[in-house]
DNA sequence: TAGATTGTTAATCGATTAACAATC
DNA sequence: TAGATTGTTAATCGATTAACAATC
């Protein structure tokens, strides 16, 4: 298959969100124009994006919501449930452990780890009590997991990434404000970056008024 | 000034993070090569990015950490403190209210709102108790604020965005999984998108093994 | 058939990179 | 001066968009 640009993949994830909403509303057909207006992008971009994955629409009417939704799930690899472990039981770790939309999208949190004695043993979300990070290797041997979330201080992130790689984690979502030196795929999420870029946009748009 | 591409702005935010770390360590000079290796990008990209804002380096040695850091703060609009209100006192709202790196970067959380009677009045972070969202307009009239965070369900996000715009909020960081119809700048953060794109990367990298 | 919308192309626009003269 | 690193250019690479034939 032709190489798919990363911006396209990110948009697929958003298309999927819209399609799920439409499905719930009972909508059966959607046009590229409608999808485009939901994301505030051009309709030709929607069609171009989807065309990477075959002829998914019907000329004259549009795209079948259910069929497209299923196809995108397949492309993104969401046909299976991904088991996720969270490292760091602070506020971010806790928010993710309780984030219902993750499970709705087939990402199941199976364990939360921390090194803080005061947090270990505590119930952090329904059915999840905080484990000692020292038991990480043991847990992985017994249960395995696909994805790890790093919600720990930057100072310990790389050491943990290294351990995670060794025990067979396939990818990391990194909330720690640092770059990881590991070979498995990493998705970086630095919360402050969104605020900083927003600040820049605000400052530069008011110049033009 | 020449138009600066958005990807550059996002990287500036990350350069700034690295520079702050270097400053703490007492490092005074940094080269584009060093910065590049921290972000895992090309050194020519670092130089190109920084060149948008003048001659910030010293040929032969590199960039003065303090000077560059200050310049980037200026470019991003972080010379002033941005006052931030959070709408939604759920897990994400709470995580942000307690996120120390926001205040370290000059984003000060000044209020948290919710509509849930059980949450209103509760202490959600040091010095922050949850207010009734009905008092939003009143609060803004008395105190004002620059940026709002939407950490509410998608169903009510647009209605709130509209109210926020009316009371003079300058920009929104939107964690609600929806697109906002407002004229002020919005930065979207859909947590599940990071997981979905990571899943895609994993699925497509294992094909190649 | 007439109206609507896709899929695809080619043009345009935007971003990254290598290379190297300038210069500390 | 020799070594190092910037700032900048031009080439390349990548992404978006308008336009329209194909077709339901």
């Amino acid at each position: 298959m032709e190489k798919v640009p990363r911006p396209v993949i990110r948009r697929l994830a958003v298309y999927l969100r819209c399609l799920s909403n439409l499905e719930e509303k009972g909508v059966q057909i959607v046009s590229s124009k409608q999808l485009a207006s939901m994301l505030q992008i051009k309709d030709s971009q929607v069609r171009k994006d989807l065309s990477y994955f075959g002829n998914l629409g019907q000329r004259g009417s549009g795209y079948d919501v259910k069929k497209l939704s299923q196809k995108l799930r397949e492309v993104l690899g969401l046909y299976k449930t991904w088991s996720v472990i969270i490292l760091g039981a602070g506020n971010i770790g806790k928010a993710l452990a309780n984030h219902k939309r993750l499970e709705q999208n087939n990402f199941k949190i199976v364990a939360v780890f921390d090194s803080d004695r005061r947090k270990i043993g505590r119930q952090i979300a329904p059915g999840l009590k905080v484990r000692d990070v020292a038991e990480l290797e043991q847990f992985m041997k017994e249960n395995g997991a696909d994805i790890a979330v790093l919600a720990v201080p930057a100072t310990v992130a790389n050491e943990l990434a290294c351990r995670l790689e060794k025990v067979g984690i396939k990818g990391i979502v990194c909330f720690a404000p640092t770059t990881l030196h590991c070979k498995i795929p990493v998705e970086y999420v630095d919360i402050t970056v969104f605020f900083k870029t927003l600040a820049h946009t605000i400052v530069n748009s008011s110049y033009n008024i």
Side-chain angles (χ1 to χ4, degrees), chain A residues 45-69:
Chain A
Q45 175 142 83
V46 173
R47 292 197 297 280
K48 174 77 177 160
D49 285 355
L50 299 179
S51 74
Y52 283 102
F53 311 102
N55 293 8
L56 306 178
Q58 179 96 319
R59 290 174 199 239
S61 56
Y63 299 87
D64 183 287
V65 172
K66 264 211 180 103
K67 216 176 102 187
L68 184 58
S69 163

Side-chain angles (χ1 to χ4, degrees), chain A residues 3 8-9 25 42 92 125-126 137 189 201 207:
Chain A
K3 198 185 157 286
V8 174
I9 300 301
K25 280 195 212 159
K42 294 271 150 61
I92 292 181
E137 282 76 9
V189 191
T201 311
Y207 274 141

Side-chain angles (χ1 to χ4, degrees), chain A residues 141-154:
Chain A
K141 203 179 287 178
E142 287 170 9
N143 307 276
D146 302 305
I147 291 174
V149 174
L150 276 182
V152 298

Side-chain angles (χ1 to χ4, degrees), chain A residues 13 17 21 96 98-107:
Chain A
R17 192 182 76 198
N21 291 342
L96 292 169
N98 286 281
H99 200 67
K100 296 196 186 63
R101 292 185 59 238
L102 280 176
E103 186 147 356
Q104 284 162 16
N105 282 280
N106 266 353
F107 296 96

Side-chain angles (χ1 to χ4, degrees), chain A residues 26 29 94 164 168-169 175 179:
Chain A
I29 303 287
K94 193 177 170 187
L164 289 166
I169 282 288
F175 286 81
T179 307

Side-chain angles (χ1 to χ4, degrees), chain A residues 2 11 21-22 29 36 44-45 59 74-75 79 102 104 115 120 159 166 170 182 192 195 202 205:
Chain A
E2 194 186 346
R11 282 193 297 271
N21 291 342
L22 290 171
I29 303 287
S44 57
Q45 175 142 83
R59 290 174 199 239
E74 182 198 318
V75 169
Y79 39 82
L102 280 176
Q104 284 162 16
S115 61
I120 294 167
E159 179 211 327
K166 276 193 194 123
K170 294 172 193 145
C182 59
T192 69
F195 286 81
I202 295 173
S205 65

